[in-house]
Amino acid sequence: GGYVVNAELEARSNLFVAGDAACFYDPVLGRRRVEHHDHAVVSGKLAGQNMTGASQPYHHQSMFWSDLGPNVGYEAIGLVDSSLPTVGIWAHKDTVTRSESEIKSEPGAHEKYEQGIVFYMDKSKVWGSYLEHIRQGSYRSTGNRGGRGTPRFWVASQAV
């Protein structure tokens, strides 16, 4: 769906389309249409600049998020498609160990792994990622919380 546009978000000569109405070519994921706030803001700004002669290509990889309540929220970027194989890395919610990270293939029934990242993959390429309870770049510090130790992790893999 959407209006097919070129790399500069132009549908026809001097007719530009942005936001969820635009069906654009993503150099990483192919032709697509995105219905998210981040994409609308960035593509709208670029379409406006291109209307004034900037002739800049759209190459932004938009993200999306949702807050489902005070304790449930997520962010995602790229192709988040349930038909793709996934690999998940989950951090233990309550404790931080003082030894090397603990990697498990199956969590114990009593353990609370509520913060993590799921990678959507195809062969050896990551097409998208989903972050649960990790916000605004805080995943960069997941591996070492202020030098107090390394969090325990659970690595999950699901093949289709």
Side-chain angles (χ1 to χ4, degrees):
Y3 296 98
V4 176
V5 297
N6 65 15
E8 290 82 29
L9 302 175
E10 191 174 27
R12 293 187 183 252
S13 181
N14 294 318
L15 176 65
F16 293 82
V17 179
D20 60 359
C23 178
F24 62 97
Y25 181 77
D26 182 324
V28 176
L29 301 172
R31 186 152 295 278
R32 62 192 297 226
R33 189 173 148 262
V34 177
E35 299 177 2
H36 302 296
H37 176 264
D38 178 58
H39 166 68
V41 169
V42 175
S43 66
K45 181 178 177 181
L46 181 66
Q49 291 170 341
N50 286 343
M51 285 179 203
T52 63
S55 297
Q56 295 296 312
Y58 183 74
H59 55 78
H60 179 70
Q61 196 58 248
S62 68
M63 54 85 69
F64 60 95
W65 73 95
S66 183
D67 291 321
L68 304 173
N71 299 318
V72 180
Y74 66 86
E75 291 183 2
I77 188 167
L79 186 60
V80 179
D81 183 338
S82 63
S83 70
L84 291 172
T86 60
V87 173
I89 302 172
W90 296 86
H92 196 275
K93 180 177 173 32
D94 299 324
T95 64
V96 176
T97 64
R98 297 196 184 277
S99 63
E100 292 297 315
S101 63
E102 179 182 329
I103 306 290
K104 297 182 174 187
S105 60
E106 293 292 329
H110 64 284
E111 296 180 295
K112 297 178 183 176
Y113 290 87
E114 297 178 2
Q115 182 180 44
I117 302 172
V118 176
F119 296 100
Y120 292 79
M121 306 183 69
D122 185 19
K123 299 180 184 164
S124 63
K125 185 173 182 175
V126 174
W127 290 95
S129 61
Y130 167 90
L131 292 76
E132 177 85 22
H133 292 283
I134 300 174
R135 300 304 234 149
Q136 300 172 354
S138 63
Y139 64 90
R140 293 183 183 127
S141 64
T142 302
N144 186 350
R145 298 185 183 178
R148 293 182 292 159
T150 306
R152 290 187 282 172
F153 289 101
W154 169 47
V155 178
S157 171
Q158 171 253 330
V160 217

